[in-house]
Amino acid sequence: MTRDIIDSHAHLNDPAFSRDLPEVIARLQEAGVSAVINVGYDVRSSREAVAQAYNWPVLRAAVAVHPHEAATFNEESARVIRSLALDRRVVAIGETGLDYYRNLSPRRQQEEVFRWHLRLAKQLNLPVIIHDRDAHQDVLRILREEGRALRGVVMHCFSGSWEMARQCLDMGFYISLAGPVTFKNAVKVREIAARVPLDRLLVETDAPYLTPEPYRGQRNEPANVCLVVEGVAAARGVAVEEIIEATSNNARQLFRLD
Ligand code: NI
């Protein structure tokens, strides 16, 4: 069976893949994954994402400094991220946003760096991939203030309530779902999976993190996006093909993959 699944968010630039990337790429192609957005989280990984997107045609890059690293963000990082973002293999700015769960950088700095990335995305007319952990209200407020004229917004690994999802949908954002949709206790995520309009839905792995069932606990990889698709299809009570077609069309349009 020919499949055409797009993993909207993975980190093959993570050191977890430094030893066996060719095998990981072979497995995702065997699984029917036709494109992976390889997402940067600091200057090094953003550079790596772009380099890998030249080595492997199935990969495209997103570049940014993650909120965890916001405290290290300086003029030099801004210069490098901006110049990487101009590369033709880069299809989005991300991941950027706020993380109040781990608070690895002071909140004020996270906000400043988040706003910088949103402005860059607007200038370059690129979509933006948002990381939001326990910071829903501030993320929405900042997107409301800065978000006008953004080409597209992806709420990556969406973890909010349906109420939050509805606010995002009202603002025209995409909701991207990951491995947790397969977790036994993730009732809330399955409710989101069942209710988000198909034309707003994306799927992702966030590899090497968030490994879906039944492989939870092992390193995650893009081939496992099939399990996410199955989880979403089960939550909606539809065929996997319907989810694949919709999410791939959405990703192709949003990231201009053709
Ligand atoms: Ni990520």
Side-chain angles (χ1 to χ4, degrees):
M1 183 173 83
T2 326
R3 296 221 255 185
D4 167 28
I5 312 173
I6 296 178
D7 181 352
S8 82
H9 192 117
H11 304 285
L12 297 178
N13 46 4
D14 189 284
F17 295 106
S18 58
R19 277 183 308 167
D20 62 345
L21 187 59
E23 288 87 339
V24 170
I25 301 273
R27 280 195 292 271
L28 72 87
Q29 285 178 320
E30 232 161 85
V33 176
S34 53
V36 177
I37 313 301
N38 194 15
V39 179
Y41 45 91
D42 59 11
V43 168
R44 182 209 62 82
S45 62
S46 295
R47 271 204 184 101
E48 185 69 9
V50 176
Q52 289 174 332
Y54 278 95
N55 290 340
W56 309 97
V58 71
L59 306 182
R60 301 300 177 93
V63 297
V65 172
H66 193 281
H68 287 340
E69 312 290 332
T72 71
F73 189 84
N74 57 24
E75 269 175 47
E76 175 63 5
S77 353
R79 191 190 62 74
V80 177
I81 295 295
R82 174 184 292 279
S83 78
L84 287 172
L86 295 168
D87 194 283
R88 63 184 177 83
R89 298 298 289 172
V90 172
V91 297
I93 298 298
E95 57 186 287
T96 182
L98 301 174
D99 193 310
Y100 293 173
Y101 178 70
R102 293 180 69 192
N103 280 309
L104 294 185
S105 286
R107 292 184 180 192
R108 192 186 46 77
Q109 268 168 307
Q110 291 191 37
E111 174 163 343
E112 221 170 89
V113 174
F114 182 24
R115 287 184 190 271
W116 181 87
H117 283 94
L118 294 177
R119 289 175 194 148
L120 178 66
K122 278 189 277 189
Q123 283 166 17
L124 302 183
N125 196 27
L126 287 170
V128 61
I129 300 170
I130 307 288
H131 172 100
D132 163 22
R133 188 105 194 255
D134 292 356
H136 304 326
Q137 288 322 310
D138 281 359
V139 164
L140 285 181
R141 172 178 57 80
I142 293 165
L143 283 168
R144 234 175 247 122
E145 291 167 10
E146 302 273 354
R148 228 179 295 260
L150 272 172
R151 193 189 125 66
V153 175
V154 180
M155 303 304 284
H156 131 72
C157 189
F158 187 82
S159 62
S161 61
W162 171 247
E163 192 44 49
M164 162 88 178
R166 204 163 51 187
Q167 290 181 58
C168 292
L169 294 166
D170 285 346
M171 292 199 280
F173 302 168
Y174 290 85
I175 305 279
S176 185
L177 297 176
V181 77
T182 68
F183 298 172
K184 209 170 237 154
N185 58 357
V187 178
K188 210 171 63 176
V189 182
R190 268 192 298 279
E191 186 198 351
I192 304 290
R195 294 176 74 173
V196 172
L198 270 184
D199 64 350
R200 298 279 113 192
L201 197 60
L202 297 170
V203 287
E204 63 169 279
T205 56
D206 202 21
Y209 311 108
L210 296 177
T211 312
E213 293 288 4
Y215 303 122
R216 211 173 163 180
Q218 300 174 28
R219 181 188 69 174
N220 199 6
E221 60 177 67
N224 290 337
V225 74
C226 302
L227 297 165
V228 177
V229 167
E230 283 166 21
V232 172
R236 297 178 81 96
V238 301
V240 292
E241 286 73 18
E242 194 178 318
I243 303 302
I244 293 172
E245 194 190 346
T247 55
S248 295
N249 283 339
N250 295 341
R252 213 169 271 121
Q253 206 168 36
L254 175 67
F255 299 117
R256 289 190 279 218
L257 296 181
D258 293 320

